[in-house]
Amino acid sequence: MNKALLIVAHGSRKEESNSEIFELAKNIASKANSFDMVEACFLEIAKPSIPEGIKACVSNKASEILIMPYFLAAGRHVLEDIPSIVDEEKVKYSDISIKSLPYFGSNPVIVDILNTLAENDA
Amino acid sequence: MNKALLIVAHGSRKEESNSEIFELAKNIASKANSFDMVEACFLEIAKPSIPEGIKACVSNKASEILIMPYFLAAGRHVLEDIPSIVDEEKVKYSDISIKSLPYFGSNPVIVDILNTLAENDA
């Protein structure tokens, strides 16, 4: 069983911004115990796209792909665009388990992090 | 000394998405020790705008405003758009301290949170 974590970020025209996401995936990979690979991809503007990200996981022999929408709020991208693309890909890979996690910003721990960050500089 | 924390989010066409940000500000306010007020505003699409958010803090007698760009990656919005708007506002309120925090996603703790979230569902 090969498990993949696939981070889906928005994508930016700034190459440094996209590099941040690859760096993040690399850092998670260095800590992750439950994943055999951690990949990054982008909803728009940057490459790899979501279909390309899923394909990369499959090429690396992933049998399970967990998708993490790396977004802060449940706007159109989180509610419609990403699920629609992921659903299309699921059809292509019917022998692979592709599941989506709740988007990053939905996590309640964020209130505490933001509070700590702000208090540190207050 | 009245301290304000002003969360700056992107803004969405989905009203629920913008409500999330107001809710976040309210939740931070309930935990924050160092701030007399916690407000939310949006770079684009939604209201209040950044100038309106700053004005609201000033109307509430803030003498110090700490701005938290609630973004995950350092794209154009974080590097250019927000600083440019904030710089214009600083000129209007020369008697008030307006400082920007590093954008949310720059915080190293994010790697651990993402890892924990993903591991929990792995």
Side-chain angles (χ1 to χ4, degrees):
Chain A
M1 183 88 86
N2 267 321
K3 282 195 180 187
L5 175 64
L6 181 59
I7 312 283
V8 178
H10 184 281
S12 169
R13 279 178 191 84
K14 299 251 177 218
E15 210 34 69
E16 304 85 331
S17 172
N18 303 323
S19 302
E20 268 186 79
I21 306 297
F22 291 121
E23 198 59 34
L24 179 72
K26 209 184 291 176
N27 287 337
I28 296 170
S30 73
K31 301 193 172 195
N33 292 316
S34 309
F35 297 97
D36 302 290
M37 64 198 89
V38 181
E39 302 285 342
C41 65
F42 302 96
L43 172 63
E44 55 189 37
I45 303 165
K47 290 276 176 183
S49 64
I50 299 174
E52 288 167 348
I54 291 175
K55 199 174 178 182
C57 296
V58 174
S59 303
N60 282 330
K61 312 254 180 275
S63 52
E64 272 192 52
I65 304 174
L66 208 55
I67 292 175
M68 158 70 76
Y70 191 50
F71 286 73
L72 285 174
R76 190 168 38 86
H77 292 326
V78 165
L79 297 175
E80 298 166 15
D81 303 339
I82 296 175
S84 145
I85 295 171
V86 169
D87 282 350
E88 274 182 42
E89 295 307 302
K90 279 181 182 168
V91 177
K92 292 190 204 162
Y93 305 104
S94 54
D95 52 338
I96 289 171
S97 159
I98 301 180
K99 283 192 295 187
S100 292
L101 288 168
Y103 66 100
F104 176 65
S106 65
N107 201 273
V109 77
I110 285 186
V111 174
D112 296 312
I113 303 164
L114 267 176
N115 189 35
T116 306
L117 291 176
E119 296 273 348
N120 285 346
D121 277 85
Chain B
M1 183 88 84
N2 268 322
K3 282 195 180 186
L5 175 64
L6 180 61
I7 313 283
V8 179
H10 185 279
S12 169
R13 280 179 191 83
K14 300 252 179 217
E15 209 34 70
E16 306 86 331
S17 173
N18 302 323
S19 302
E20 269 187 78
I21 305 297
F22 292 121
E23 199 59 34
L24 179 73
K26 209 185 289 176
N27 288 336
I28 296 170
S30 73
K31 301 194 172 194
N33 291 316
S34 309
F35 297 97
D36 301 289
M37 65 199 88
V38 181
E39 304 284 343
C41 65
F42 302 95
L43 173 64
E44 55 189 35
I45 303 166
K47 290 275 175 183
S49 65
I50 300 175
E52 288 165 347
I54 291 175
K55 200 175 177 180
C57 296
V58 174
S59 303
N60 283 328
K61 313 255 178 275
S63 51
E64 272 192 52
I65 304 173
L66 209 54
I67 292 174
M68 157 71 75
Y70 191 49
F71 286 73
L72 285 173
R76 189 169 38 86
H77 292 327
V78 165
L79 297 175
E80 297 165 17
D81 302 339
I82 297 176
S84 143
I85 295 171
V86 170
D87 282 349
E88 273 182 40
E89 295 307 303
K90 279 182 184 168
V91 176
K92 291 189 205 163
Y93 304 105
S94 55
D95 51 340
I96 290 171
S97 158
I98 301 179
K99 282 192 294 186
S100 293
L101 289 167
Y103 65 102
F104 177 66
S106 65
N107 200 271
V109 78
I110 284 186
V111 174
D112 296 311
I113 303 164
L114 267 176
N115 190 35
T116 306
L117 291 176
E119 295 273 349
N120 285 347
D121 276 85

